[in-house]
């Protein structure tokens, strides 16, 4: 799968193909852009307005309503850790403590931050974590360390 790191015509086309027949596509489109780029750039907002026939005020209203969405990149990407029941009972709280410690210790808190979410739809493989559009299940502290190293290598 292509990984998009900036807004571009191919990214716009990818989203068009993915959501062209879906009703209520605004939120999933915004999530995909936010997850891939770490924010929703102005060019993406213009594209969404044109393709979904929405006004800029409507799209801006949704972006500012949900705290998941940012119009400016703060330089960090989210590590979404599920805190819902199935993941909690499989150790997500311990995992969050581990991630916080790890990010602080090695200084990667300038690149990543933890975001608590409530169910990533991957309950059978809890605890679940999502980084940059990719969903991971059965994430132990050791596995997380490995995934973080991999993620940093991919974007170095
Ligand atoms: S409870 Fe964590 S993925 Fe559903």
């Amino acid at each position: 799968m292509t990984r998009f790191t900036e807004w571009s015509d191919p990214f716009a086309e990818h989203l068009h193909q993915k959501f062209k027949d879906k009703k209520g596509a605004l939120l999933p489109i915004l999530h995909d852009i936010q997850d891939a780029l770490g924010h929703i750039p102005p060019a993406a907002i213009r594209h969404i307005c044109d393709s979904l026939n929405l006004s800029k005020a409507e799209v801006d209203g949704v972006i500012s309503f949900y705290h998941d969405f940012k119009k400016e990149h703060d330089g960090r990407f989210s590590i979404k850790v599920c805190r819902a029941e199935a993941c909690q009972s499989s150790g997500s709280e311990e995992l969050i403590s581990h991630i916080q410690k790890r990010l602080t210790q090695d200084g990667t808190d300038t690149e990543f931050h933890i975001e608590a979410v409530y169910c990533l739809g991957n309950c059978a493989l809890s605890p679940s974590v999502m980084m940059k559009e990719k969903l991971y299940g059965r994430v132990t502290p050791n596995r997380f360390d490995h995934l973080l190293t991999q993620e940093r290598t991919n974007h170095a």
Side-chain angles (χ1 to χ4, degrees):
M1 181 181 127
T2 307
R3 300 190 70 183
F4 297 99
T5 55
E6 60 185 32
W7 183 251
S8 61
D9 288 344
F11 191 10
E13 180 56 25
H14 162 79
L15 293 172
H16 174 72
Q17 291 304 322
K18 186 171 175 186
F19 295 107
K20 66 181 175 190
D21 298 322
K22 296 214 168 94
K23 283 192 190 292
L26 177 58
L27 280 177
I29 289 172
L30 290 174
H31 274 294
D32 274 14
I33 297 170
Q34 177 70 44
D35 288 345
L37 310 183
H39 73 301
I40 317 283
I45 294 173
R46 282 193 297 275
H47 174 80
I48 291 168
C49 292
D50 291 346
S51 60
L52 298 182
N53 199 22
L54 295 169
S55 70
K56 185 172 179 309
E58 287 172 299
V59 177
D60 280 342
V62 171
I63 292 171
S64 48
F65 183 79
Y66 291 96
H67 93 271
D68 267 5
F69 303 133
K70 313 263 181 287
K71 286 173 90 173
E72 308 262 323
H73 198 308
D74 77 351
R76 299 186 302 165
F77 288 96
S78 293
I79 296 170
K80 294 181 181 172
V81 185
C82 178
R83 298 183 82 171
E85 202 177 328
C87 287
Q88 266 202 31
S89 65
S90 304
S92 66
E93 293 305 313
E94 293 81 359
L95 183 61
I96 287 172
S97 302
H98 172 78
I99 295 172
Q100 273 167 340
K101 212 159 74 184
R102 169 74 202 261
L103 295 183
T104 307
Q105 270 172 357
D106 64 11
T108 39
D109 52 357
T110 56
E111 291 174 62
F112 296 93
H113 68 99
I114 300 174
E115 187 182 329
V117 293
Y118 294 87
C119 200
L120 289 163
N122 194 40
C123 319
L125 298 174
S126 59
S128 300
V129 169
M130 183 178 266
M131 285 196 280
K132 301 272 211 93
E133 277 192 285
K134 277 193 176 160
L135 181 60
Y136 302 97
R138 297 211 169 104
V139 181
T140 61
N142 276 345
R143 178 146 190 255
F144 173 78
D145 289 348
H146 175 72
L147 293 172
L148 184 65
T149 304
Q150 204 175 34
E151 193 62 43
R152 294 187 73 211
T153 307
N154 289 345
H155 293 278

